Amino acid sequence: MSDISVDLCGLKLKNPTMLASGLIGISGAACVNAAKNGAGAIVPKSIGPQEREGHNNPVLVEFEGGFLNAVGLPNSGVDNSLNELEFAMKNAGVPVIPSLFGGTKEEFGIVAKKLSTLNPEMMEVNLSCPNTANDFGTPFALDKEEAASVIKIVKENTDAKISAKLAPNVPDIKEISVAVEKAGADAISAINTMPGMAINVETGKHILHNKQGGVSGYALKSIAVKCVYDIFEAVKIPIIGIGGITYGKDAIEMIMAGATSVQIGTGIYYRGIDVFEKVSKEIESFMSQENYNNLEEMRGIAHE
Ligand SMILES: Cc1cc2nc3c(=O)[nH]c(=O)nc-3n(C[C@H](O)[C@H](O)[C@H](O)COP(=O)(O)O)c2cc1C
Protein backbone atom coordinates (compact mmCIF):
# COMPACT_ATOMS: atom_id res chain seq x y z
CA MET A 1 0.00 0.00 0.00
CA SER A 2 1.37 3.45 -0.89
CA ASP A 3 1.57 6.01 1.90
CA ILE A 4 -0.62 9.04 1.14
CA SER A 5 -0.20 10.80 4.48
CA VAL A 6 1.05 14.38 4.51
CA ASP A 7 3.02 16.61 6.87
CA LEU A 8 1.73 20.14 6.28
CA CYS A 9 3.73 22.56 8.43
CA GLY A 10 3.74 19.95 11.19
CA LEU A 11 0.04 19.11 10.83
CA LYS A 12 -0.42 15.40 10.20
CA LEU A 13 -2.94 14.72 7.44
CA LYS A 14 -3.97 11.11 6.75
CA ASN A 15 -4.38 12.03 3.08
CA PRO A 16 -3.71 15.15 0.96
CA THR A 17 -7.35 16.12 0.32
CA MET A 18 -8.76 19.10 2.21
CA LEU A 19 -12.17 20.76 2.09
CA ALA A 20 -11.85 24.15 0.32
CA SER A 21 -13.25 27.22 2.06
CA GLY A 22 -16.79 28.35 1.27
CA LEU A 23 -18.26 25.23 -0.23
CA ILE A 24 -20.24 23.94 2.73
CA GLY A 25 -20.35 26.97 4.99
CA ILE A 26 -19.30 27.31 8.60
CA SER A 27 -21.66 24.82 10.24
CA GLY A 28 -19.73 22.56 12.60
CA ALA A 29 -21.86 19.56 11.68
CA ALA A 30 -21.24 20.07 7.94
CA CYS A 31 -17.49 20.29 8.58
CA VAL A 32 -17.58 17.07 10.61
CA ASN A 33 -19.52 15.42 7.78
CA ALA A 34 -16.81 16.34 5.25
CA ALA A 35 -14.22 14.84 7.61
CA LYS A 36 -16.29 11.65 7.97
CA ASN A 37 -16.30 11.48 4.17
CA GLY A 38 -12.55 11.36 3.99
CA ALA A 39 -11.24 14.94 4.03
CA GLY A 40 -7.74 15.01 5.51
CA ALA A 41 -8.35 18.54 6.82
CA ILE A 42 -11.20 21.04 6.82
CA VAL A 43 -11.19 24.72 5.84
CA PRO A 44 -14.58 26.23 6.78
CA LYS A 45 -16.14 29.28 5.11
CA SER A 46 -14.13 32.50 5.56
CA ILE A 47 -14.99 34.46 8.68
CA GLY A 48 -14.82 38.24 8.93
CA PRO A 49 -15.00 40.79 11.74
CA GLN A 50 -18.76 41.34 11.62
CA GLU A 51 -21.87 39.61 10.38
CA ARG A 52 -22.24 40.06 6.62
CA GLU A 53 -25.15 39.16 4.38
CA GLY A 54 -23.25 38.77 1.13
CA HIS A 55 -24.71 39.50 -2.29
CA ASN A 56 -28.28 39.12 -3.55
CA ASN A 57 -29.33 36.13 -5.64
CA PRO A 58 -28.46 34.78 -8.11
CA VAL A 59 -25.04 34.17 -6.58
CA LEU A 60 -24.10 30.98 -8.43
CA VAL A 61 -24.38 29.82 -12.02
CA GLU A 62 -23.07 26.71 -13.74
CA PHE A 63 -21.43 26.93 -17.16
CA GLU A 64 -19.69 24.38 -19.40
CA GLY A 65 -16.38 24.61 -17.55
CA GLY A 66 -17.51 24.86 -13.96
CA PHE A 67 -19.22 27.47 -11.81
CA LEU A 68 -19.26 31.22 -11.43
CA ASN A 69 -20.06 32.47 -7.96
CA ALA A 70 -20.39 35.82 -6.27
CA VAL A 71 -21.73 34.93 -2.86
CA GLY A 72 -19.88 37.93 -1.39
CA LEU A 73 -18.46 36.39 1.79
CA PRO A 74 -21.69 35.99 3.78
CA ASN A 75 -20.87 34.93 7.33
CA SER A 76 -22.08 35.48 10.85
CA GLY A 77 -18.98 37.35 12.03
CA VAL A 78 -16.18 36.00 14.17
CA ASP A 79 -17.90 36.37 17.55
CA ASN A 80 -20.93 34.36 16.41
CA SER A 81 -18.81 31.73 14.62
CA LEU A 82 -16.60 30.55 17.46
CA ASN A 83 -19.11 27.96 18.75
CA GLU A 84 -19.52 26.26 15.38
CA LEU A 85 -15.78 26.26 14.82
CA GLU A 86 -15.15 24.84 18.25
CA PHE A 87 -17.65 22.06 17.57
CA ALA A 88 -15.90 21.26 14.29
CA MET A 89 -12.47 21.26 15.94
CA LYS A 90 -13.63 18.94 18.73
CA ASN A 91 -15.49 16.48 16.53
CA ALA A 92 -13.92 16.39 13.07
CA GLY A 93 -11.02 14.13 14.06
CA VAL A 94 -8.85 15.92 11.47
CA PRO A 95 -7.26 19.39 11.53
CA VAL A 96 -9.77 22.24 11.16
CA ILE A 97 -8.16 25.32 9.64
CA PRO A 98 -10.29 28.45 10.07
CA SER A 99 -10.27 30.87 7.13
CA LEU A 100 -10.36 34.58 7.84
CA PHE A 101 -10.76 37.85 6.00
CA GLY A 102 -11.03 41.52 6.81
CA GLY A 103 -11.99 44.68 4.97
CA THR A 104 -8.87 46.40 6.30
CA LYS A 105 -5.47 45.09 7.38
CA GLU A 106 -6.31 45.84 10.99
CA GLU A 107 -9.51 43.78 10.75
CA PHE A 108 -7.47 40.75 9.64
CA GLY A 109 -5.49 41.12 12.87
CA ILE A 110 -8.62 41.44 15.00
CA VAL A 111 -10.22 38.33 13.48
CA ALA A 112 -6.97 36.35 13.75
CA LYS A 113 -6.69 37.21 17.44
CA LYS A 114 -10.26 36.16 18.19
CA LEU A 115 -9.93 32.90 16.23
CA SER A 116 -6.71 32.16 18.08
CA THR A 117 -8.65 31.78 21.33
CA LEU A 118 -9.63 28.36 19.90
CA ASN A 119 -5.94 27.44 19.42
CA PRO A 120 -6.17 26.25 15.82
CA GLU A 121 -2.96 24.65 14.53
CA MET A 122 -3.25 26.60 11.29
CA MET A 123 -5.35 29.37 9.75
CA GLU A 124 -5.88 30.33 6.13
CA VAL A 125 -5.81 34.03 5.30
CA ASN A 126 -8.19 34.84 2.48
CA LEU A 127 -6.41 37.70 0.71
CA SER A 128 -8.05 37.00 -2.60
CA CYS A 129 -11.86 37.04 -2.76
CA PRO A 130 -12.58 38.48 -6.23
CA ASN A 131 -16.22 39.35 -5.48
CA THR A 132 -16.09 41.97 -2.76
CA ALA A 133 -14.22 44.79 -4.50
CA ASN A 134 -17.27 47.08 -4.22
CA ASP A 135 -17.14 46.81 -0.43
CA PHE A 136 -13.46 46.29 0.28
CA GLY A 137 -11.59 47.55 -2.78
CA THR A 138 -8.93 45.63 -4.67
CA PRO A 139 -8.10 42.27 -3.05
CA PHE A 140 -4.88 42.38 -1.01
CA ALA A 141 -3.49 39.42 -2.97
CA LEU A 142 -3.13 41.59 -6.09
CA ASP A 143 -0.30 43.63 -4.59
CA LYS A 144 2.81 42.16 -3.01
CA GLU A 145 3.25 44.87 -0.39
CA GLU A 146 -0.40 44.85 0.63
CA ALA A 147 -0.44 41.05 0.82
CA ALA A 148 2.76 40.99 2.88
CA SER A 149 1.52 43.59 5.34
CA VAL A 150 -1.67 41.62 6.01
CA ILE A 151 0.34 38.46 6.67
CA LYS A 152 2.60 40.39 9.03
CA ILE A 153 -0.36 41.68 11.04
CA VAL A 154 -1.96 38.24 11.21
CA LYS A 155 1.34 36.71 12.40
CA GLU A 156 1.50 39.34 15.15
CA ASN A 157 -1.92 38.23 16.37
CA THR A 158 -1.60 34.45 16.42
CA ASP A 159 0.76 31.58 17.14
CA ALA A 160 -1.03 29.38 14.57
CA LYS A 161 0.66 28.50 11.32
CA ILE A 162 -0.60 30.74 8.53
CA SER A 163 -1.38 29.90 4.92
CA ALA A 164 -1.78 32.88 2.57
CA LYS A 165 -4.51 32.30 -0.01
CA LEU A 166 -3.49 33.91 -3.28
CA ALA A 167 -5.28 35.03 -6.43
CA PRO A 168 -4.53 33.79 -9.96
CA ASN A 169 -5.15 37.12 -11.74
CA VAL A 170 -1.78 38.72 -11.10
CA PRO A 171 1.04 39.39 -13.57
CA ASP A 172 3.61 37.52 -11.46
CA ILE A 173 2.44 35.16 -8.75
CA LYS A 174 6.06 34.38 -7.87
CA GLU A 175 6.72 37.84 -6.52
CA ILE A 176 3.55 37.81 -4.41
CA SER A 177 4.56 34.40 -3.05
CA VAL A 178 8.05 35.56 -2.14
CA ALA A 179 6.58 38.63 -0.42
CA VAL A 180 4.17 36.62 1.76
CA GLU A 181 6.87 34.06 2.56
CA LYS A 182 9.18 36.87 3.70
CA ALA A 183 6.33 38.36 5.77
CA GLY A 184 6.08 35.09 7.69
CA ALA A 185 3.54 32.91 5.86
CA ASP A 186 4.10 29.25 6.69
CA ALA A 187 2.29 28.01 3.56
CA ILE A 188 0.57 29.26 0.43
CA SER A 189 -2.93 28.26 -0.67
CA ALA A 190 -3.13 28.60 -4.43
CA ILE A 191 -5.58 29.59 -5.77
CA ASN A 192 -8.84 31.40 -5.16
CA THR A 193 -11.37 31.73 -8.00
CA MET A 194 -10.58 33.61 -11.22
CA PRO A 195 -12.77 36.61 -12.13
CA GLY A 196 -15.35 35.75 -14.78
CA MET A 197 -18.78 36.66 -16.11
CA ALA A 198 -21.83 35.06 -17.74
CA ILE A 199 -24.52 36.79 -19.81
CA ASN A 200 -28.03 35.48 -20.42
CA VAL A 201 -28.43 35.80 -24.21
CA GLU A 202 -32.26 35.87 -23.94
CA THR A 203 -32.25 38.99 -21.79
CA GLY A 204 -28.89 40.38 -22.83
CA LYS A 205 -28.06 40.90 -19.15
CA HIS A 206 -25.51 39.50 -16.72
CA ILE A 207 -26.72 36.42 -14.84
CA LEU A 208 -25.15 37.02 -11.45
CA HIS A 209 -26.71 39.84 -9.45
CA ASN A 210 -23.17 41.04 -8.72
CA LYS A 211 -22.55 41.07 -12.52
CA GLN A 212 -19.17 39.36 -12.18
CA GLY A 213 -18.04 36.39 -10.16
CA GLY A 214 -15.26 33.90 -9.62
CA VAL A 215 -14.68 30.84 -11.81
CA SER A 216 -14.22 27.53 -10.02
CA GLY A 217 -14.17 23.90 -11.16
CA TYR A 218 -12.66 22.29 -14.26
CA ALA A 219 -11.99 25.58 -16.05
CA LEU A 220 -9.70 26.66 -13.22
CA LYS A 221 -7.51 23.58 -13.08
CA SER A 222 -4.81 24.33 -15.64
CA ILE A 223 -4.55 27.90 -14.33
CA ALA A 224 -4.10 26.56 -10.81
CA VAL A 225 -1.51 23.98 -11.89
CA LYS A 226 0.56 26.73 -13.52
CA CYS A 227 0.30 28.92 -10.42
CA VAL A 228 1.43 26.05 -8.18
CA TYR A 229 4.26 25.23 -10.60
CA ASP A 230 5.48 28.84 -10.60
CA ILE A 231 5.17 29.27 -6.83
CA PHE A 232 7.13 26.03 -6.23
CA GLU A 233 10.07 27.57 -8.09
CA ALA A 234 9.94 30.76 -6.03
CA VAL A 235 9.49 29.73 -2.37
CA LYS A 236 10.46 27.05 0.14
CA ILE A 237 7.20 26.92 2.13
CA PRO A 238 4.59 24.25 1.28
CA ILE A 239 1.87 24.92 -1.27
CA ILE A 240 -1.76 23.84 -0.98
CA GLY A 241 -3.03 23.38 -4.55
CA ILE A 242 -6.63 24.45 -5.21
CA GLY A 243 -8.68 24.69 -8.40
CA GLY A 244 -10.72 22.16 -10.35
CA ILE A 245 -9.58 19.07 -8.49
CA THR A 246 -12.24 16.46 -9.10
CA TYR A 247 -10.45 13.15 -9.66
CA GLY A 248 -7.32 11.55 -8.26
CA LYS A 249 -5.36 12.39 -11.37
CA ASP A 250 -6.10 16.11 -10.88
CA ALA A 251 -4.64 15.94 -7.37
CA ILE A 252 -1.61 14.03 -8.68
CA GLU A 253 -1.04 16.71 -11.33
CA MET A 254 -1.03 19.36 -8.58
CA ILE A 255 1.39 17.35 -6.47
CA MET A 256 3.69 16.82 -9.45
CA ALA A 257 3.60 20.61 -9.98
CA GLY A 258 4.77 20.98 -6.38
CA ALA A 259 1.74 20.96 -4.07
CA THR A 260 2.06 19.38 -0.64
CA SER A 261 -1.70 18.91 -0.29
CA VAL A 262 -4.80 19.90 -2.26
CA GLN A 263 -8.21 21.38 -1.57
CA ILE A 264 -11.44 20.32 -3.22
CA GLY A 265 -14.45 22.62 -3.57
CA THR A 266 -16.54 22.41 -6.72
CA GLY A 267 -15.58 18.71 -7.02
CA ILE A 268 -18.14 18.08 -4.24
CA TYR A 269 -20.87 19.11 -6.68
CA TYR A 270 -19.64 16.74 -9.37
CA ARG A 271 -18.86 13.71 -7.21
CA GLY A 272 -20.66 14.11 -3.88
CA ILE A 273 -19.38 14.86 -0.39
CA ASP A 274 -17.40 11.60 -0.40
CA VAL A 275 -15.21 13.06 -3.18
CA PHE A 276 -12.41 13.18 -0.58
CA GLU A 277 -12.53 9.42 -0.03
CA LYS A 278 -12.83 8.77 -3.77
CA VAL A 279 -9.92 11.04 -4.71
CA SER A 280 -7.73 9.53 -1.96
CA LYS A 281 -8.44 6.00 -3.24
CA GLU A 282 -7.69 7.08 -6.81
CA ILE A 283 -4.38 8.63 -5.73
CA GLU A 284 -3.47 5.46 -3.83
CA SER A 285 -4.28 3.15 -6.73
CA PHE A 286 -2.31 5.33 -9.18
CA MET A 287 0.68 5.25 -6.85
CA SER A 288 0.55 1.47 -6.44
CA GLN A 289 0.28 1.04 -10.19
CA GLU A 290 3.20 3.39 -10.85
CA ASN A 291 5.28 2.16 -7.91
CA TYR A 292 5.35 5.37 -5.90
CA ASN A 293 5.82 4.60 -2.19
CA ASN A 294 4.80 8.01 -0.88
CA LEU A 295 3.69 11.45 -2.05
CA GLU A 296 7.18 12.88 -1.56
CA GLU A 297 8.38 10.77 -4.50
CA MET A 298 5.89 12.54 -6.80
CA ARG A 299 6.09 16.04 -5.36
CA GLY A 300 7.46 18.56 -7.84
CA ILE A 301 8.71 15.96 -10.32
CA ALA A 302 7.36 18.08 -13.18
CA HIS A 303 10.28 20.42 -12.50
CA GLU A 304 12.99 17.82 -13.08
C1 LIG B 1 -19.65 29.07 -3.65
C2 LIG B 1 -18.22 29.31 -3.33
C3 LIG B 1 -17.87 30.01 -2.17
C4 LIG B 1 -16.54 30.24 -1.85
N1 LIG B 1 -16.23 30.90 -0.70
C5 LIG B 1 -14.93 31.08 -0.35
C6 LIG B 1 -14.57 31.67 0.90
O1 LIG B 1 -15.42 32.02 1.73
N2 LIG B 1 -13.24 31.83 1.16
C7 LIG B 1 -12.25 31.43 0.32
O2 LIG B 1 -11.07 31.60 0.63
N3 LIG B 1 -12.57 30.85 -0.87
C8 LIG B 1 -13.86 30.65 -1.21
N4 LIG B 1 -14.18 30.03 -2.39
C9 LIG B 1 -13.08 29.59 -3.27
C10 LIG B 1 -12.74 28.11 -3.02
O3 LIG B 1 -12.26 27.90 -1.71
C11 LIG B 1 -11.68 27.63 -4.03
O4 LIG B 1 -10.51 28.42 -3.90
C12 LIG B 1 -12.18 27.72 -5.47
O5 LIG B 1 -13.55 27.36 -5.57
C13 LIG B 1 -11.37 26.82 -6.41
O6 LIG B 1 -11.46 25.46 -6.04
P1 LIG B 1 -12.50 24.45 -6.77
O7 LIG B 1 -12.29 24.57 -8.23
O8 LIG B 1 -12.11 23.09 -6.21
O9 LIG B 1 -13.87 24.85 -6.34
C14 LIG B 1 -15.51 29.78 -2.73
C15 LIG B 1 -15.87 29.09 -3.89
C16 LIG B 1 -17.19 28.83 -4.20
C17 LIG B 1 -17.52 28.07 -5.46
Side-chain angles (χ1 to χ4, degrees), residues 49-117:
Q50 297 101 20
E51 189 170 348
R52 198 180 136 78
E53 274 193 8
H55 297 317
N56 292 335
N57 280 319
V59 294
L60 188 70
V61 57
E62 187 173 13
F63 70 104
E64 311 77 42
F67 279 83
L68 262 172
N69 92 82
V71 289
L73 292 175
N75 77 103
S76 47
V78 62
D79 294 326
N80 299 323
S81 303
L82 293 176
N83 280 349
E84 291 295 329
L85 271 178
E86 193 172 22
F87 179 89
M89 290 170 74
K90 281 202 175 127
N91 296 291
V94 302
V96 174
I97 300 171
S99 165
L100 65 111
F101 75 93
T104 63
K105 292 173 202 168
E106 292 69 31
E107 284 181 354
F108 276 90
I110 292 165
V111 181
K113 192 170 200 159
K114 289 188 174 178
L115 289 173
S116 296
T117 57

Side-chain angles (χ1 to χ4, degrees), residues 20-23 45-46 60 69 71 73 99 124 126 165 191-193 215-217 220 242-245 263-267:
S21 181
L23 274 295
K45 175 83 189 159
S46 294
L60 188 70
N69 92 82
V71 289
L73 292 175
S99 165
E124 189 172 84
N126 181 2
K165 186 160 180 183
I191 50 178
N192 212 314
T193 54
V215 173
S216 67
L220 194 60
I242 318 165
I245 295 174
Q263 290 181 13
I264 301 176
T266 305

Side-chain angles (χ1 to χ4, degrees), residues 3-21:
D3 177 10
I4 61 164
S5 66
V6 169
D7 181 326
L8 176 68
C9 301
L11 275 70
K12 306 288 178 222
L13 275 49
K14 62 184 177 186
N15 70 64
T17 70
M18 304 166 64
L19 170 68
S21 181

